[in-house]
mmCIF file of all heavy atoms in Angstrom:
data_model
loop_
_atom_site.group_PDB
_atom_site.id
_atom_site.type_symbol
_atom_site.label_atom_id
_atom_site.label_comp_id
_atom_site.label_asym_id
_atom_site.label_seq_id
_atom_site.Cartn_x
_atom_site.Cartn_y
_atom_site.Cartn_z
ATOM 1 N N GLU T 20 -19.088 9.201 22.731
ATOM 2 C CA GLU T 20 -18.800 8.557 24.012
ATOM 3 C C GLU T 20 -17.370 8.355 24.311
ATOM 4 O O GLU T 20 -16.944 8.264 25.456
ATOM 5 C CB GLU T 20 -19.522 7.203 24.021
ATOM 6 C CG GLU T 20 -21.054 7.331 24.246
ATOM 7 C CD GLU T 20 -21.723 6.008 24.331
ATOM 8 O OE1 GLU T 20 -21.055 4.960 24.620
ATOM 9 O OE2 GLU T 20 -22.902 5.977 23.997
ATOM 10 N N ALA T 152 -30.241 -2.606 12.382
ATOM 11 C CA ALA T 152 -30.012 -2.713 13.810
ATOM 12 C C ALA T 152 -28.699 -3.406 14.093
ATOM 13 O O ALA T 152 -27.986 -2.950 15.017
ATOM 14 C CB ALA T 152 -31.201 -3.566 14.412
ATOM 15 N N ASP T 153 -28.382 -4.428 13.372
ATOM 16 C CA ASP T 153 -27.069 -5.045 13.448
ATOM 17 C C ASP T 153 -25.955 -4.147 13.047
ATOM 18 O O ASP T 153 -24.877 -4.168 13.663
ATOM 19 C CB ASP T 153 -26.999 -6.354 12.644
ATOM 20 C CG ASP T 153 -27.404 -7.604 13.485
ATOM 21 O OD1 ASP T 153 -27.784 -7.395 14.676
ATOM 22 O OD2 ASP T 153 -27.367 -8.680 12.944
ATOM 23 N N TYR T 155 -25.762 -0.959 13.329
ATOM 24 C CA TYR T 155 -25.496 -0.097 14.467
ATOM 25 C C TYR T 155 -24.770 -0.820 15.550
ATOM 26 O O TYR T 155 -23.747 -0.424 16.023
ATOM 27 C CB TYR T 155 -26.799 0.525 15.001
ATOM 28 C CG TYR T 155 -26.560 1.383 16.207
ATOM 29 C CD1 TYR T 155 -26.273 2.736 16.065
ATOM 30 C CD2 TYR T 155 -26.690 0.849 17.464
ATOM 31 C CE1 TYR T 155 -25.955 3.480 17.177
ATOM 32 C CE2 TYR T 155 -26.410 1.575 18.581
ATOM 33 C CZ TYR T 155 -26.061 2.929 18.475
ATOM 34 O OH TYR T 155 -25.802 3.737 19.548
ATOM 35 N N SER T 156 -25.367 -1.890 15.990
ATOM 36 C CA SER T 156 -24.800 -2.556 17.181
ATOM 37 C C SER T 156 -23.447 -3.148 16.941
ATOM 38 O O SER T 156 -22.514 -3.014 17.736
ATOM 39 C CB SER T 156 -25.824 -3.690 17.600
ATOM 40 O OG SER T 156 -25.302 -4.456 18.650
ATOM 41 N N MET T 157 -23.319 -3.796 15.778
ATOM 42 C CA MET T 157 -22.041 -4.464 15.523
ATOM 43 C C MET T 157 -20.920 -3.449 15.302
ATOM 44 O O MET T 157 -19.761 -3.688 15.724
ATOM 45 C CB MET T 157 -22.183 -5.385 14.326
ATOM 46 C CG MET T 157 -23.021 -6.651 14.629
ATOM 47 S SD MET T 157 -23.569 -7.597 13.139
ATOM 48 C CE MET T 157 -22.030 -8.366 12.730
ATOM 49 N N LEU T 158 -21.260 -2.344 14.739
ATOM 50 C CA LEU T 158 -20.153 -1.330 14.543
ATOM 51 C C LEU T 158 -19.808 -0.751 15.839
ATOM 52 O O LEU T 158 -18.558 -0.511 16.162
ATOM 53 C CB LEU T 158 -20.616 -0.207 13.534
ATOM 54 C CG LEU T 158 -19.554 0.807 13.171
ATOM 55 C CD1 LEU T 158 -18.193 0.130 12.753
ATOM 56 C CD2 LEU T 158 -20.020 1.680 12.076
ATOM 57 N N ARG T 159 -20.764 -0.491 16.746
ATOM 58 C CA ARG T 159 -20.384 -0.064 18.129
ATOM 59 C C ARG T 159 -19.488 -1.064 18.782
ATOM 60 O O ARG T 159 -18.468 -0.703 19.398
ATOM 61 C CB ARG T 159 -21.644 0.104 19.003
ATOM 62 C CG ARG T 159 -22.643 1.221 18.559
ATOM 63 C CD ARG T 159 -22.020 2.628 18.717
ATOM 64 N NE ARG T 159 -21.470 2.884 19.990
ATOM 65 C CZ ARG T 159 -22.017 3.440 21.021
ATOM 66 N NH1 ARG T 159 -23.309 3.751 20.956
ATOM 67 N NH2 ARG T 159 -21.380 3.668 22.131
ATOM 68 N N GLU T 160 -19.854 -2.288 18.638
ATOM 69 C CA GLU T 160 -19.101 -3.369 19.301
ATOM 70 C C GLU T 160 -17.706 -3.501 18.652
ATOM 71 O O GLU T 160 -16.662 -3.683 19.326
ATOM 72 C CB GLU T 160 -19.805 -4.733 19.134
ATOM 73 C CG GLU T 160 -19.268 -5.836 20.071
ATOM 74 C CD GLU T 160 -19.943 -7.163 19.884
ATOM 75 O OE1 GLU T 160 -21.087 -7.124 19.224
ATOM 76 O OE2 GLU T 160 -19.448 -8.180 20.319
ATOM 77 N N ALA T 161 -17.603 -3.295 17.350
ATOM 78 C CA ALA T 161 -16.340 -3.397 16.648
ATOM 79 C C ALA T 161 -15.409 -2.232 17.118
ATOM 80 O O ALA T 161 -14.248 -2.535 17.361
ATOM 81 C CB ALA T 161 -16.553 -3.300 15.169
ATOM 82 N N GLU T 163 -15.399 -0.881 19.940
ATOM 83 C CA GLU T 163 -15.069 -1.119 21.365
ATOM 84 C C GLU T 163 -14.163 -2.354 21.518
ATOM 85 O O GLU T 163 -13.523 -2.578 22.546
ATOM 86 C CB GLU T 163 -16.307 -1.373 22.188
ATOM 87 C CG GLU T 163 -17.125 -0.124 22.436
ATOM 88 C CD GLU T 163 -18.548 -0.334 22.826
ATOM 89 O OE1 GLU T 163 -18.908 -1.570 23.133
ATOM 90 O OE2 GLU T 163 -19.367 0.665 22.903
ATOM 91 N N GLU T 184 -32.622 1.230 17.310
ATOM 92 C CA GLU T 184 -32.709 2.001 18.628
ATOM 93 C C GLU T 184 -31.303 2.337 18.992
ATOM 94 O O GLU T 184 -30.491 1.494 19.240
ATOM 95 C CB GLU T 184 -33.315 0.960 19.671
ATOM 96 C CG GLU T 184 -33.765 1.626 20.992
ATOM 97 C CD GLU T 184 -35.177 2.067 20.867
ATOM 98 O OE1 GLU T 184 -36.038 1.207 20.546
ATOM 99 O OE2 GLU T 184 -35.495 3.248 21.145
ATOM 100 N N ARG T 185 -31.043 3.647 19.014
ATOM 101 C CA ARG T 185 -29.702 4.095 19.412
ATOM 102 C C ARG T 185 -29.323 3.540 20.808
ATOM 103 O O ARG T 185 -30.146 3.644 21.711
ATOM 104 C CB ARG T 185 -29.610 5.547 19.414
ATOM 105 C CG ARG T 185 -29.078 6.126 18.100
ATOM 106 C CD ARG T 185 -29.186 7.584 17.963
ATOM 107 N NE ARG T 185 -27.874 8.203 18.249
ATOM 108 C CZ ARG T 185 -27.617 9.433 17.723
ATOM 109 N NH1 ARG T 185 -28.562 10.130 17.170
ATOM 110 N NH2 ARG T 185 -26.439 9.948 17.911
ATOM 111 N N GLY T 186 -28.143 3.077 20.891
ATOM 112 C CA GLY T 186 -27.711 2.541 22.223
ATOM 113 C C GLY T 186 -28.038 1.094 22.416
ATOM 114 O O GLY T 186 -27.477 0.476 23.333
ATOM 115 N N THR T 187 -28.979 0.617 21.699
ATOM 116 C CA THR T 187 -29.405 -0.792 21.847
ATOM 117 C C THR T 187 -28.452 -1.805 21.157
ATOM 118 O O THR T 187 -28.106 -1.566 19.979
ATOM 119 C CB THR T 187 -30.830 -0.987 21.386
ATOM 120 O OG1 THR T 187 -31.653 -0.174 22.145
ATOM 121 C CG2 THR T 187 -31.229 -2.438 21.529
ATOM 122 N N ARG T 188 -28.091 -2.765 21.888
ATOM 123 C CA ARG T 188 -27.228 -3.802 21.252
ATOM 124 C C ARG T 188 -28.051 -5.028 20.873
ATOM 125 O O ARG T 188 -28.914 -5.456 21.634
ATOM 126 C CB ARG T 188 -26.085 -4.158 22.162
ATOM 127 C CG ARG T 188 -25.249 -3.012 22.591
ATOM 128 C CD ARG T 188 -24.575 -2.335 21.449
ATOM 129 N NE ARG T 188 -23.856 -1.092 21.823
ATOM 130 C CZ ARG T 188 -22.595 -1.059 22.148
ATOM 131 N NH1 ARG T 188 -21.837 -2.123 22.044
ATOM 132 N NH2 ARG T 188 -22.022 0.081 22.526
ATOM 133 N N THR T 189 -27.680 -5.608 19.730
ATOM 134 C CA THR T 189 -28.272 -6.853 19.314
ATOM 135 C C THR T 189 -27.369 -7.994 19.835
ATOM 136 O O THR T 189 -26.599 -7.768 20.722
ATOM 137 C CB THR T 189 -28.445 -6.920 17.834
ATOM 138 O OG1 THR T 189 -27.224 -6.674 17.213
ATOM 139 C CG2 THR T 189 -29.453 -5.769 17.305
ATOM 140 N N GLU T 190 -27.418 -9.118 19.300
ATOM 141 C CA GLU T 190 -26.563 -10.182 19.675
ATOM 142 C C GLU T 190 -25.059 -9.831 19.514
ATOM 143 O O GLU T 190 -24.741 -9.006 18.625
ATOM 144 C CB GLU T 190 -26.765 -11.464 18.736
ATOM 145 C CG GLU T 190 -28.121 -12.068 18.890
ATOM 146 C CD GLU T 190 -28.185 -12.874 20.198
ATOM 147 O OE1 GLU T 190 -27.292 -13.773 20.399
ATOM 148 O OE2 GLU T 190 -29.053 -12.545 21.043
ATOM 149 N N PRO T 191 -24.148 -10.391 20.315
ATOM 150 C CA PRO T 191 -22.784 -10.127 20.106
ATOM 151 C C PRO T 191 -22.346 -10.396 18.620
ATOM 152 O O PRO T 191 -22.905 -11.287 17.961
ATOM 153 C CB PRO T 191 -22.082 -11.049 21.033
ATOM 154 C CG PRO T 191 -23.053 -11.477 22.103
ATOM 155 C CD PRO T 191 -24.355 -11.309 21.457
ATOM 156 N N ARG T 236 -23.202 -13.303 10.489
ATOM 157 C CA ARG T 236 -22.740 -12.053 11.244
ATOM 158 C C ARG T 236 -21.216 -12.068 11.358
ATOM 159 O O ARG T 236 -20.515 -11.305 10.845
ATOM 160 C CB ARG T 236 -23.565 -11.916 12.484
ATOM 161 C CG ARG T 236 -25.062 -11.815 12.220
ATOM 162 C CD ARG T 236 -25.914 -11.881 13.462
ATOM 163 N NE ARG T 236 -26.065 -10.659 14.150
ATOM 164 C CZ ARG T 236 -25.399 -10.326 15.315
ATOM 165 N NH1 ARG T 236 -24.565 -11.193 15.857
ATOM 166 N NH2 ARG T 236 -25.665 -9.161 15.925
#
Side-chain angles (χ1 to χ4, degrees):
Chain T
E20 283 180 26
D153 266 3
Y155 175 85
S156 176
M157 290 167 72
L158 185 50
R159 294 295 310 268
E160 194 182 344
E163 289 161 7
E184 191 91 53
R185 265 172 105 159
T187 299
R188 302 300 172 95
T189 58
E190 293 286 302
R236 304 167 81 257

